[in-house]
Amino acid sequence: MPNGSWDSHLHVLDQVRFPPIPGSYEFSTYTAWDATIEETRLGCSHMVLIQPSVYGNDNTLLIDTLKAFGPDRALGVIVFDVANTSTAQLQEWNDLGVRGVRLNFQSTGDAPPARELRDMMQRYADAIRPFPWVLQIYIAMKDIPGIEPVIPDIGVKVAIDHLGHPDTPKTNNSGPALDPHSLSGFDSMLRLLEGNNAWVKVSAVYRLSKAPGPLYTDLDPVILELFKAAPSRLVYASDWPHTRFEGLDIKPWTSHLLDLTNGNVQLRDQLFKENAQELWGGDTTIASSARP
């Protein structure tokens, strides 16, 4: 790992002090101390804590954890109701190290129709635009074409979770390697990455892969094509503590990801450090990436 590496997606959870909302999946407790141990083991100096779906709009645990770490070590992405959250509240969260809001429809499986989703993204973008925040979205890759029209002119940075969550086919060791362009929505995602305000998290391959771990090599063609097409728009993330896959060790895949950079130091530094610095810091607004 390069010095100063970032992990752009992990969670803290505490089932005792902060019980989940009804209907959530089961999970164990993973504290700020546990996160520190894991990030040290992976070699990451900076982390971005993501509000997990099990807590809904209650960001208390995440905010408490940001206070414990401080913004030099950890930033956060929260969830809130845009219709009932004041600018003053957003400012308070911003001062504590919050740098984004997450719209998560893949975990719940209830993505709205494309027009409704575009309108929702616009409302959240309008709310966070005064701050250096990211609009983070988790939907299936096949649904990305439906939001493609709104992103170039939305006026904020946009992060797409978990490689865009492609629907990968079952592996066939004797057949040809996966063609990423055959995946529904992949080319739409690439077009977004050609602009100046969209990033993709290289993460959660174990949730997507049809191949055995720990390397999940069926997704290598997707990652390599992203390396080729958009090296400055990718950020590494561990997705720790791997809820619903508890006990999984992401370090072998992280080492494999380093190997996939094939000794390209510039690409390695972009993936693990420089792109994250640009995504989570930088200007408060993003100019339109629309082409004339």
Side-chain angles (χ1 to χ4, degrees):
M1 284 279 205
N3 289 333
S5 287
W6 287 67
D7 182 347
S8 285
H9 193 114
L10 68 153
H11 310 284
V12 286
L13 299 141
D14 190 329
Q15 61 178 336
V16 177
R17 293 193 303 135
F18 298 93
I21 59 177
S24 299
Y25 56 80
E26 295 183 0
F27 59 89
S28 301
T29 293
Y30 297 95
T31 65
W33 176 245
D34 296 320
T36 300
I37 294 172
E38 177 67 7
E39 296 306 298
T40 301
R41 190 178 74 92
L42 291 175
C44 292
S45 305
H46 306 279
M47 64 185 85
V48 182
L49 301 169
I50 310 300
Q51 173 75 347
S53 60
V54 296
Y55 290 137
N57 293 349
D58 184 354
N59 300 287
T60 307
L61 175 57
L62 188 148
I63 296 298
D64 285 352
T65 306
L66 289 182
K67 291 176 181 177
F69 277 126
D72 290 338
R73 179 71 163 127
L75 301 175
V77 173
I78 60 171
V79 176
F80 64 86
D81 180 356
V82 70
N84 295 293
T85 304
S86 67
T87 301
Q89 176 64 80
L90 296 179
Q91 181 67 62
E92 180 181 335
W93 284 329
N94 181 77
D95 293 344
L96 293 171
V98 172
R99 290 298 180 268
V101 59
R102 190 187 197 200
L103 303 181
N104 178 358
F105 299 106
Q106 185 60 34
S107 295
T108 57
D110 59 353
R115 180 184 293 274
E116 184 179 337
L117 182 52
R118 292 195 299 268
D119 290 345
M120 184 183 301
M121 291 176 66
Q122 189 66 63
R123 290 196 299 274
Y124 275 93
D126 292 344
I128 69 174
R129 194 170 295 111
F131 307 97
W133 285 25
V134 175
L135 180 60
Q136 181 173 314
I137 186 161
Y138 188 23
I139 59 174
M141 182 178 281
K142 65 180 178 60
D143 294 328
I144 291 177
I147 64 172
E148 183 182 355
V150 75
I151 290 179
D153 295 308
I154 203 166
V156 298
K157 299 172 184 177
V158 176
I160 300 171
D161 276 349
H162 303 335
L163 290 174
H165 201 97
D167 183 10
T168 55
K170 292 183 178 180
T171 57
N172 181 356
N173 293 333
S174 62
L178 171 67
D179 176 7
H181 297 279
S182 69
L183 298 170
S184 178
F186 182 79
D187 288 341
S188 175
M189 187 173 75
L190 282 190
R191 287 191 294 271
L192 289 172
L193 296 181
E194 291 173 356
N196 73 341
N197 72 325
W199 282 256
V200 166
K201 293 186 181 183
V202 182
S203 57
V205 288
Y206 60 92
R207 300 187 188 276
L208 310 170
S209 175
K210 302 297 194 302
L215 303 185
Y216 312 105
T217 54
D218 59 328
L219 286 164
D220 286 359
V222 175
I223 295 169
L224 291 171
E225 187 67 9
L226 289 171
F227 283 175
K228 177 183 175 182
S232 65
R233 287 293 179 259
L234 310 174
V235 294
Y236 164 78
S238 71
D239 194 36
W240 181 87
H242 321 302
T243 52
R244 291 178 275 195
F245 293 81
E246 294 188 36
L248 182 142
D249 183 3
I250 204 65
K251 190 169 184 178
W253 175 77
T254 300
S255 297
H256 177 63
L257 186 60
L258 278 163
D259 291 341
L260 289 179
T261 64
N262 197 31
N264 185 329
V265 175
Q266 180 181 8
L267 174 59
R268 182 201 66 184
D269 288 351
Q270 287 176 310
L271 176 63
F272 288 96
K273 180 173 65 174
E274 294 170 1
N275 296 346
Q277 290 172 333
E278 182 180 0
L279 174 60
W280 302 113
D283 296 335
T284 59
T285 59
I286 300 295
S288 169
S289 63
R291 292 172 177 76

